[in-house]
Amino acid sequence: MKMTGAQILCESLVKEGVEVIFGYPGGAVLPLYDTLAQYPQLRHILVRHEQGAAHAADGYARATGKVGVCLATSGPGATNLVTGIANAHLDSSPIVAITGQVARPFIGKDAFQETDITGITLPITKYNYLVLDVGSLARIVKEAFYLARSGRPGPVLIDIPRDVFVDEAEFHYPSKVDLPGYKPTLQGHPAQIKKAVKLINEAKQPLIIAGRGVVISGAYTELKQLAETAQIPVVTTLLGIGCFPETHILSFGMLGMHGMAYANMAVDAADAIIAIGMRFDDRATAKVSAFAPHARVIHIDIDPAEIGKNVRVDVPIVGDVKVVLNALNKLIISAEHVDWIHQLDEWRREHPSTEIRESAELLPQFVIRKIYELTQGKAIIVTGVGQNQMWAAQYYWYNRPNSLISAGGLGTMGFELPAAMGAKVGCPDEIVWCVAGDGGFQMTIQELATIVQERLAVKVAIINNGYLGMVRQWQELFYKRRYVATPLSGPDFVKIAEAYGLPALRVKHKEEVVPAIEQAMEEQGPFIIDFVVEPEENVYPMVLPGAALTEVLEEPRKEVATWSRRSTP
Amino acid sequence: MVTTKHTLVALVEDKPGVLNHMASLFRRRGFNIESIVVGHSELPHLSRMTIVVDGTTTIMEQVRKQLDKLIDVVKVSDITEDDIINRELALIKIRATSSTRSEIIQIVDIFRANIVDVASDSVTVEVTGDEEKIASLLNLLRGFGIKEIARTGRIAMTRGG
Ligand SMILES: Cc1ncc(C[n+]2csc(CCOP(=O)(O)OP(=O)(O)O)c2C)c(N)n1
Ligand SMILES: [Mg+2]
């Protein structure tokens, strides 16, 4: 039976198991929108800005592990997706972005709302397509989803001219893809695995650095098995958080610029590093020439191009993390590293890194810790970028995979709200907290309307410090406290919430924190708490830019610690 | 670190945008590209590219891997260390008068190059060979006055196999 391009697209999306599309209409996609009405199984969520659609698809993808889908019209609709696509690209998040394009006869004529979106997104997509023939549409959709989710996941864009939606063709959904240039290696090379095993068995002070690859590959049990069998301490990157339970005896937190001092010290002292599904980002390694000076490095990653890119590697293993760890675990012998682990525990006692100092003021760290306690560590936390992001990473303990969703690679302010929205759509039964900065929140604040319209019970904690806090912190430390262009005044977030039609509270004092969070959680729908916190609080520990991981600036105000790390409720 | 010229050969899908994609990759990652040549291969829908890049061995490893990562690149190999044949074609237009023309023809003959066009004040020479051969011919012709040069860039293939 012949179908229109729009029908072929919808049928293909159904075949791919798509359940939700975050989108925004316009001229070039009107035929598609008209057809969408015939597909109630494809839930369309109308965002209020296309950037929100891309971030929502990304948040959905990270929370569920499925491919997220966003949709925009040609020209400005398509360009509004760009930030979200770049964000998904750097964090290897599987999304398929569908854009309308001007009709084929107008392409290249600078037609109304024409933009070369495949050209623009070339370096920020895993692959992209301009569909010039309706007969190729089904194949392209099949390939796009396959590419997005397989190997190292990433965004794929499909640009579809308006007249292709209307053209007709027979619909056959291919069962296989034929991509001769794309064959991700899943199995690690046996000889390399043997070398790695030998290195691990010989190591006296081994350390695992786990990244988002563990999450993507779903290798939690395999990672745990490796760590426990060979008694190897584990640190994670920002995006690796949650892939190993943070209250586990072998967990030593996040490494990097705002990582735990003891995690960084562990990296510095280790004689063997097993880097798993991570890419030695400069925020994680700090000064790369001083990184892990005593260690031989095993690097397991599915992307061969990541190996040796930033850090010299002794034993490269290209493959899927889960598959490789399974093979490794068969050969690894159990070991104990009592002295080494004791040493790390010692460092943790000396440099606690996540204690909260005694203060009469409302501290942001205190807010995060209370959210942890009241959600019993069972929420999905979606963060903004900046100080709020680092506090959310540091002061909440993530014991579940995929429980922290954060824009790591691109550091995109404005990610928080739409990504939280996407996560909630994908996981309606989970508690989703959006930890927002007062700056970043305003970058995509319009999605409050979407959240209300779709009745999404996202709980928002605005860490309102009245500043572009992270930038202010740098100005304080490196520009003699000249706060240029960082103070933010207003708006009144409670009134904003009221205007959008959702309940909100303002919290200024410590004792109001718990009741406010409780109230937010009791509420059926979305809720906003505007936490007015100590304005000039800084994020510590901090490795100064350009310095080695061990050159850590710690909280200068060492007062009584109020929490011990394992005070799990 | 020492940089050397490396010859990469890539088999790529014959699709619009492939060259663009590769060029964009070279620009973005700051790889120093010397020449890039594309043409049909012996296989339908696949083109063969010869790319000459200047870089250290570690950079070359990255170049190779990044190229390989592109979906449309089916295969890529660094054949610098192999026993290879490499060729380039150049068209050289030289100023020529009745008094210099025969001398030019002599030089061209020695290089087994061809004269492909003769005009009242110029001759155009076509030469094929490796870069060294083309460089030495150019050197000898320079004295007559070179009006125009067009070069294809290197294409290469391993011997035997
Ligand atoms: C889109 C975007 N613009 C600019 C920046 C640079 N930047 C990084 S952190 C930051 C401040 C963020 O302020 P806020 O959202 O209030 O969070 P805070 O650091 O105060 O918690 C800025 C401007 C960015 N990361 N993203
Ligand atoms: Mg702020």
Side-chain angles (χ1 to χ4, degrees), chain A residues 379-437:
Chain A
I380 295 177
I381 303 291
V382 187
T383 79
V385 166
Q387 293 185 314
N388 65 85
Q389 177 182 36
M390 292 301 127
W391 288 318
Q394 294 172 332
Y395 289 86
Y396 194 101
W397 287 310
Y398 300 85
N399 284 331
R400 297 187 321 153
N402 255 336
S403 48
L404 174 69
I405 293 179
S406 194
L410 196 67
T412 315
M413 287 170 69
F415 173 75
E416 54 267 60
L417 187 61
M421 178 170 100
K424 186 67 188 175
V425 169
C427 303
D429 299 330
E430 301 278 346
I431 302 166
V432 176
W433 274 88
C434 166
V435 174

Side-chain angles (χ1 to χ4, degrees), chain A residues 4-228:
Chain A
T4 65
Q7 283 174 314
I8 290 175
L9 176 60
C10 292
E11 290 288 334
S12 305
L13 295 179
V14 170
K15 291 256 193 248
E16 287 299 331
V18 173
E19 43 185 27
V20 60
I21 301 169
F22 300 94
Y24 207 98
V29 285
L30 262 182
L32 173 60
Y33 270 88
D34 192 50
T35 305
L36 263 181
Q38 302 157 22
Y39 291 86
Q41 65 270 57
L42 297 173
R43 175 182 179 191
H44 181 274
I45 293 183
L46 175 69
V47 294
R48 296 303 189 270
H49 185 297
E50 290 86 350
Q51 181 185 353
H55 288 325
D58 186 345
Y60 171 92
R62 294 192 207 206
T64 61
K66 298 188 222 162
V67 178
V69 179
C70 57
L71 167 62
T73 192
S74 68
T79 52
N80 273 350
L81 291 177
V82 167
T83 301
I85 294 173
N87 188 71
H89 186 60
L90 273 176
D91 288 350
S92 310
S93 185
I95 67 170
V96 167
I98 299 163
T99 49
Q101 182 53 278
V102 299
R104 282 166 293 180
F106 293 93
I107 291 179
K109 307 283 196 306
D110 302 320
F112 177 64
Q113 294 193 331
E114 179 186 4
T115 190
D116 175 15
I117 196 64
T118 48
I120 290 172
T121 58
L122 195 68
I124 53 165
T125 48
K126 186 166 172 186
Y127 200 61
N128 66 27
Y129 296 88
L130 171 61
V131 184
L132 289 172
D133 165 26
V134 69
S136 63
L137 184 55
R139 170 186 59 82
I140 286 175
V141 176
K142 173 84 187 176
E143 287 179 7
F145 277 82
Y146 176 72
L147 286 169
R149 74 162 77 87
S150 63
R152 177 177 183 175
V156 178
L157 179 135
I158 311 175
D159 195 26
I160 308 175
R162 188 184 204 278
D163 54 338
V164 171
F165 285 122
V166 188
D167 258 17
E168 294 190 350
E170 290 291 335
F171 175 67
H172 299 290
Y173 203 62
S175 55
K176 281 206 191 87
V177 296
D178 176 26
L179 296 161
Y182 180 72
K183 300 239 157 39
T185 308
L186 303 181
Q187 228 77 32
H189 195 289
Q192 293 300 92
I193 289 177
K194 280 211 188 92
K195 271 193 217 164
V197 169
K198 182 161 182 286
L199 208 160
I200 296 170
N201 288 343
E202 286 170 5
K204 299 273 179 292
Q205 309 196 343
L207 181 73
I208 291 172
I209 307 180
R212 182 162 145 74
V214 178
V215 180
I216 294 171
S217 154
Y220 321 110
T221 44
E222 290 76 8
L223 174 63
K224 208 164 160 209
Q225 193 188 331
L226 173 65
E228 287 176 352

Side-chain angles (χ1 to χ4, degrees), chain A residues 51 83 384-391 410-414 416 436-443 463-473 485-486 488 535 539:
Chain A
Q51 181 185 353
T83 301
V385 166
Q387 293 185 314
N388 65 85
Q389 177 182 36
M390 292 301 127
W391 288 318
L410 196 67
T412 315
M413 287 170 69
E416 54 267 60
D438 49 336
F441 188 58
Q442 294 184 67
M443 285 201 170
I463 305 299
N464 187 351
N465 51 13
Y467 279 107
L468 298 172
M470 185 57 92
V471 180
R472 184 208 55 75
Q473 176 168 344
T486 43
L488 299 168
V539 178

Side-chain angles (χ1 to χ4, degrees), chain A residues 234-237 241 246 251-255 260 262-263 348 565:
Chain A
V234 178
V235 301
T236 72
T237 64
I241 284 179
E246 288 203 297
S251 169
F252 289 87
M254 173 175 77
L255 87 165
M260 309 297 103
Y262 46 85
R348 176 155 59 198
R565 183 170 161 279

Side-chain angles (χ1 to χ4, degrees), chain A residues 337-356:
Chain A
H337 300 105
V338 181
D339 292 347
W340 170 229
I341 292 165
H342 180 76
Q343 172 68 80
L344 297 194
D345 277 328
E346 193 71 7
W347 283 336
R348 176 155 59 198
R349 254 189 306 280
E350 287 164 15
H351 306 269
S353 300
T354 55
E355 311 283 81
I356 299 169

